Amino acid sequence: MDPVIVTGAGPVGLTLALALARQEVPCVVLDEGPGKDEPRPARTVVLREDTVALVERLTGTRLTGLGSRWAGWRSMRRKQVTREVEFGDADPAPLHIAQHELTGVLRAALARETLAKVAVDSRLDGIEQEGSGVTAHTRGPAGTWWRGSYLVGCDGPRSTVRKLQDIRFPGRTAVERYAVATLRTELPWTDEALLHRMPPWRTSGPSAGEIVGRPLPDGVWRLDWLLPPGKDLVTPELLVNRVRETLTGWAEGVTPSYELLDTGVHTVHHRLARRWRVGRVFLAGDSAHLLGALGTQGLEEGLRDADNLAWKLALAWHHGPRDALLDSYQEERRAAIAARLRAADQVLPLLRGGGGLRAYVPGSSRGNDALLADGHLGRGALGAPGAYAGSPLMPGQLAGETVVGTAPGSPVTDVRVTAEDGTFVRLRDRLGRGALLVVLVAPGTGVWDRKHWVTAGIMPRLAAAVTALPHRAELLVAEAYPGAAAHTVLLVRPDGHLVSALGGVRPADLYAAAETALGGPAASATAAEDEAGASATAGSRR
C-alpha cells in the first residue's frame, strides 16, 4: 500500500510522521525548506505534561534539558501578588522550549526511521485523489509526482492543502498582538514564570497592558508585552525602551545588565477550518485552526491533532478504511478547538474591556488573573486538553459501566502499571502503539511477581476477553487508579483517552465498547459473552 503523504515539516507534521512510523505505516514528509530550521530564540512554545510525554515517547529524547520547567508561577497586579503556584510531582510544571529545539529533536528522530522519508525543497502545488489513493505534485529542484494512500496538510496558516481543497477558514484577525523579546539577564524571580498586569510604571491608557515573563535555560527569558489595538509600527527603539523600562521596574529602580538575543511581534488570529477531511485528505495543526489569545498554546493543540489522527490512519492503512473512524478525527478535534475558541471569545471582553462596573467589584481583578493564569498553565476552559465525551467513538450506556476519577472521553491519568512482560512502566509509555489498552485495577499486585497472579482470580477470564477483542489490545494491571474500586477494568484508546470504565470483568460490554471505539457499530458479541474461551474463535475475530 502507498505511504501517507505529510505536507509541512514543522513540529506537527514531523510528530505525525513519527507517530505513523511507530505504528509501521510508511510516510513521506514534503518539506518546502532545506531540511533545517533557523534558530529563533523569540519563537518558543509551552507544552503541558501530556504533550511533553508524547514527544519524548516518539523521539526517545528527554526534553527537560533543552527547555525550562518552571519552579512556580506568579500573577501580579500593580505591586500586589494575586496568585502563586508552586509546581511539584503532584502538579508538574509545563515545559518552555524554543521551537527550533523541539523541531530539531523531531527531525533527528525521524531521520532514524526506515519507514519515513523527508523530501526537502518540495513545495506542493497540486493534489488529485480518487477512491484508491492520492497523488500530489511538488515543484522545486526535485519537483515530481508523489503517490500516497492519504495526505495530511500540516503546512501552516497559509495552507496550500486547505486552499487546493477549497476549504473555508473563517475567524478573527489580530485578536491580540504582542511585542516579544528574548534576552539573557537576571530577574528577581529565579525559574518562575510571571504574569504582571497593570505594572506600576505604566499606570494608565491602553498601553498599561500586561507583561508575561517565561524563563528558558541558561538565564534566558522570553518577555511578551500586550500591545494596544491597532497596527502601530513596533520599532526597535520601542522594544528596547520596553525592555529597559520593564527590567528597571522589576529591579526597583536599577536596570540590570542584559543581552538582547532576539525580538519579534506576535499577532494572534482565531480561525477554524470548516472541514478537516475531504476524502483521503486531512488538515492538522495551524492549517486547520489558529488560536493563542489569553495564553493558550496553538502548537499543543496541533500535536494533539497528530496524536488523534495517527492511530486512526494507521488502523485504516493496515486493516482498510472505516469512514466513521476517520470522520471522528474532525468531529473530536474540531469540537475541542471550537470549545477553546468560544471560551476565549467569552473571556476576552471581560479581561480587555477595561473600566466599567467590573473594575469596582471586589475580587474581580483576582478572578480575571486566575482566568489568565489558567490559559498560560493549560488549565480550565482556556487551557485544558479537550475531552471527547460527545464523540461517535464513545459507547452508549453499558450495563456494567462504573464511575472513576476520569470522565469517559477524557485523557487518562498517568499511573504505574505492570506490563505483559512483568515490568513496571508508566501508562503513558504504552500509548501510541496502535493497540487498545485494557487496565485492571488490582490493589496489592505490585508486591508480587506477575507470574504469581497472572493465572489467579479474575485474570484468566479477563485475559480471554482481551484476546477476543476486535482489535489488538494490551492487558495492563495497576495497583490503583483515581476514583476506581478494586477490579475496575478501564478501556483506553491508543491516544490515551478513556473509552469506558467497567465494574469487573464484563466481556460483552468490553467487546461492545471496543467495537464502537474503532468506528464500527457496537456488536452484540455473543461469543464474547461466552468469556472468549476459544482461542480459535478469538483468532478468527482478529
Side-chain angles (χ1 to χ4, degrees), residues 309-321:
L309 183 58
W311 72 272
K312 297 171 181 177
L313 281 180
L315 194 147
W317 195 90
H318 286 295
H319 303 289

Side-chain angles (χ1 to χ4, degrees), residues 165-178:
Q165 298 305 299
D166 196 24
I167 298 173
R168 292 184 59 202
F169 198 37
R172 300 169 58 198
T173 299
V175 176
E176 290 187 337
R177 202 164 62 114
Y178 293 86

Side-chain angles (χ1 to χ4, degrees), residues 7-8 32 124-127 129 151-171 173 269-278 281-291 305 330 334:
T7 64
E32 67 177 49
L124 181 75
D125 66 358
I127 298 174
Q129 65 168 310
L151 185 146
V152 186
C154 305
D155 48 346
R158 297 180 176 85
S159 170
T160 301
V161 174
R162 190 183 64 242
K163 294 172 184 175
L164 289 173
Q165 298 305 299
D166 196 24
I167 298 173
R168 292 184 59 202
F169 198 37
T173 299
H269 308 291
H270 279 179
R271 295 188 178 276
L272 186 61
R274 292 289 191 196
R275 303 176 65 186
W276 291 30
R277 180 192 180 193
V278 179
V281 176
F282 298 81
L283 300 179
D286 285 352
S287 65
H289 53 77
L290 295 174
L291 71 163
D305 293 346
Q330 171 179 307
R334 193 176 187 280

Side-chain angles (χ1 to χ4, degrees), residues 18-25 54 57-58 307 310-311 314-315 318-319 419-421 423 425-437 471-474 476 493-496:
L18 272 172
L20 289 170
R22 291 287 187 271
Q23 295 173 68
E24 299 182 351
V25 177
L54 168 65
R57 184 174 69 244
L58 291 174
D307 197 25
W311 72 272
L315 194 147
H318 286 295
H319 303 289
E420 291 181 342
D421 61 1
T423 59
V425 296
R426 304 300 301 182
L427 181 54
R428 280 188 181 140
D429 292 341
R430 313 309 287 186
L431 301 176
R433 302 179 177 208
L436 297 169
L437 303 181
H471 184 63
R472 180 170 58 92
E474 181 178 8
L476 305 168
R493 297 179 359 169
D495 60 353

Side-chain angles (χ1 to χ4, degrees), residues 194-238:
L194 169 73
L195 167 67
H196 198 167
R197 304 188 73 203
M198 302 293 292
W201 57 89
R202 304 186 73 84
T203 57
S204 64
S207 61
E210 66 191 40
I211 310 164
V212 180
R214 305 181 186 94
L216 286 160
D218 302 323
V220 175
W221 289 79
R222 169 173 166 166
L223 305 183
D224 291 56
W225 294 267
L226 178 65
L227 296 171
K231 298 182 179 179
D232 295 341
L233 182 65
V234 180
T235 64
E237 292 78 10
L238 174 65

